[in-house]
Amino acid sequence: LPLTGKTDDHLLAEKYLRRFYGLPTGLRGRQASSSDFQNKIQQMQRFFKLQITGNLDDNTLEVMKQPRCGVPDVGE
Amino acid sequence: YNHFPRHLKWENNNLTFRILNYTPDLKKTDVDRAIRSALNAWADVTPLTFKKLHEGIADIMISFGSREHGDYNPFDGPDGLLAHAYPPGQGIGGDTHFDEDEHWTKDASAYNLFMVAAHELGHALGMAHSSDAGALMYPIYSFSTGYPLAEDDIEGIQALYGPNPNPKKRKPRPDAPNKCDPKLSFDAVTELRGETIIFKDRFYWRLHPQMTEPELTLIKFTWPSLPNKVDAAYEYPEKDLVYIFSGIRVWALNGYTLVDGYPKYIHKLGLPKTIREVDAAVHIKDTGKTLLFTDEEYWSYDEATGTMDAGFPRSIEDDFPGMHDEFDAVTFQNGRLYFFHEDLQYEYSYNYRKVIRIMRTNSFLYC
């Protein structure tokens, strides 16, 4: 399937991690924001048993694009 | 399985629910039935009971809404978010909302209301998302028929409420297979444009040369019209097709896309009508032949002529010595045949006609 542009993917991921993994919203320092983002991606990759890279790779994006329930995954 | 923080649950076992509005996608009676069946799935394995209210405040208030629908937790239009529900508690606690922008159905043609309701009502009872891809409480939508709860869901809900004092006989959905289970067996293995696809129960693993870990997905997620159980599969690269066998039917894939005109009956390949399933199948590029394994025998199908070769079936034991005489799956890679029988994998040299190595089946998944 064709992939959307990188910026779109990053926005999608940010929105996804905010909603389901409690990624903080608002402006933050550059370093803190990037490590938060990676930690949240890792958390999501761990949950879905994907390879834990902390990067927004194709497999991670594919899961993010699947239809799903709107309740956050981080209940535990 | 997971629960919400502080293990939120209802204090009493006799709960009420109310359906506030209905989707126009389905008849009212179909919505009522989907919700009632979804509640019953949980009631069957717990002491919980559910009484329907037609007015007033119920513990679980069920509604359909679009975008921002009154809880500052908006939906997003078609696809994406399908529904959400709140954990047990006063006020909004237990309430369950479905995205009206989805197309709701009672079959597999779009989003099945019963499946989504069963998942959401799990939240309304205190179940958080499970990371077991076979569980109903896995956060990604999938369709299946039969009883919707897996063992994982049952253990989770019973940890909150205990078992049903009058248990009903239910066959739970199997949990996702564990790739490193030493007793792991495969249903079918095939190549697909350089990837390897391994079918097991309702799932398949995808091995890609650029992926270090196998990827596990529900068959229905990728191919909703394929059956939940695959018996055999093989790739015929000359035509860029992968054939998938289940019972007396065979489907064809071109890449990940199902080919029109399928399923066809396996008997069209020249197998006798007495054969009701193919255990394993493999295409050998060097000879142009496809071998179809059924019980203790195998058949040779000539792809070029589209006919079954004369002199078959032949005995597996006679022609493939040193192995079991029945197989679950077989694949051909780098000039070698890999036969799978239960938890054992036989690497077989087709040229030298002998077994080279015997390994665990799970070693194929890097275990």
Side-chain angles (χ1 to χ4, degrees), chain B residues 26 126 172 229-230 242 278:
Chain B
L26 289 168
K229 182 85 165 68
V230 168
V242 167
V278 174

Side-chain angles (χ1 to χ4, degrees), chain B residues 15-316:
Chain B
L15 302 174
T16 55
F17 71 100
R18 185 180 154 199
I19 303 173
L20 295 171
N21 62 356
Y22 286 80
T23 172
D25 302 344
L26 289 168
K27 284 192 238 161
K28 266 176 94 169
T29 49
D30 288 333
V31 174
D32 286 335
R33 194 174 298 123
I35 300 292
R36 174 54 82 180
S37 304
L39 288 166
N40 284 348
W42 293 103
D44 284 353
V45 293
T46 61
L48 296 170
T49 65
F50 299 96
K51 185 181 171 199
K52 188 176 180 183
L53 299 186
H54 294 277
E55 54 188 17
I57 307 289
D59 297 315
I60 298 170
M61 301 285 261
I62 297 166
S63 60
F64 291 81
S66 298
R67 306 283 175 176
E68 171 47 48
H69 52 277
D71 61 358
Y72 303 104
N73 193 358
F75 287 128
D76 56 356
D79 300 318
L81 301 177
L82 307 181
H84 57 221
Y86 292 86
Q90 295 300 309
I92 202 166
D95 290 0
T96 301
H97 303 161
F98 298 91
D99 186 352
E100 186 48 79
D101 287 333
E102 310 304 342
H103 185 63
W104 297 105
T105 60
K106 51 180 188 169
D107 53 26
S109 58
Y111 294 117
N112 182 282
L113 181 62
F114 164 68
M115 290 304 300
V116 177
H119 174 103
E120 296 307 329
L121 290 164
H123 289 312
L125 300 176
M127 295 289 289
H129 281 151
S130 168
S131 57
D132 183 326
L136 173 66
M137 294 314 294
Y138 191 65
I140 291 175
Y141 172 83
S142 76
F143 175 75
S144 71
T145 53
Y147 186 61
L149 270 60
E151 284 291 356
D152 180 74
D153 305 302
I154 296 172
E155 283 168 24
I157 199 73
Q158 291 186 341
L160 289 175
Y161 298 100
N164 189 323
N166 305 304
K168 293 190 177 61
K169 273 206 170 173
R170 293 292 199 184
K171 195 176 163 210
R173 305 204 290 186
D175 289 341
N178 173 2
K179 71 183 168 72
C180 290
D181 177 355
K183 288 277 164 208
L184 180 72
S185 62
F186 293 159
D187 292 338
V189 180
T190 181
E191 299 289 292
L192 194 165
R193 293 184 178 173
E195 299 178 15
T196 304
I197 305 288
I198 299 161
F199 292 95
K200 173 67 182 172
D201 300 333
R202 297 180 297 130
F203 300 84
Y204 72 90
W205 278 289
R206 176 185 176 208
L207 303 179
H208 188 284
Q210 288 165 336
M211 279 161 44
T212 52
E213 279 290 309
E215 186 184 275
L216 182 71
T217 309
L218 281 159
I219 297 171
K220 288 276 182 201
F221 192 82
T222 311
W223 303 290
S225 55
L226 276 190
N228 264 323
K229 182 85 165 68
V230 168
D231 297 328
Y234 74 91
E235 182 181 38
Y236 180 45
E238 299 281 313
K239 284 193 179 165
D240 192 17
L241 292 176
V242 167
Y243 293 97
I244 313 265
F245 294 80
S246 182
I248 55 168
R249 291 183 175 82
V250 57
W251 285 255
L253 296 177
N254 173 238
Y256 277 84
T257 310
L258 280 161
V259 178
D260 287 341
Y262 287 85
K264 291 181 177 169
Y265 289 107
I266 56 172
H267 309 116
K268 298 247 164 143
L269 299 170
L271 291 170
K273 290 254 163 95
T274 48
I275 292 194
R276 307 308 290 171
E277 68 175 64
V278 174
D279 294 335
V282 64
H283 176 70
I284 299 171
K285 277 184 232 170
D286 308 357
T287 61
K289 307 284 186 188
T290 295
L291 308 182
L292 301 166
F293 296 83
T294 61
D295 297 326
E296 292 103 15
E297 295 176 326
Y298 77 104
W299 305 72
S300 173
Y301 180 76
D302 190 310
E303 295 282 354
T305 60
T307 54
M308 207 61 87
D309 289 329
F312 288 88
R314 290 178 56 86
S315 155
I316 294 174

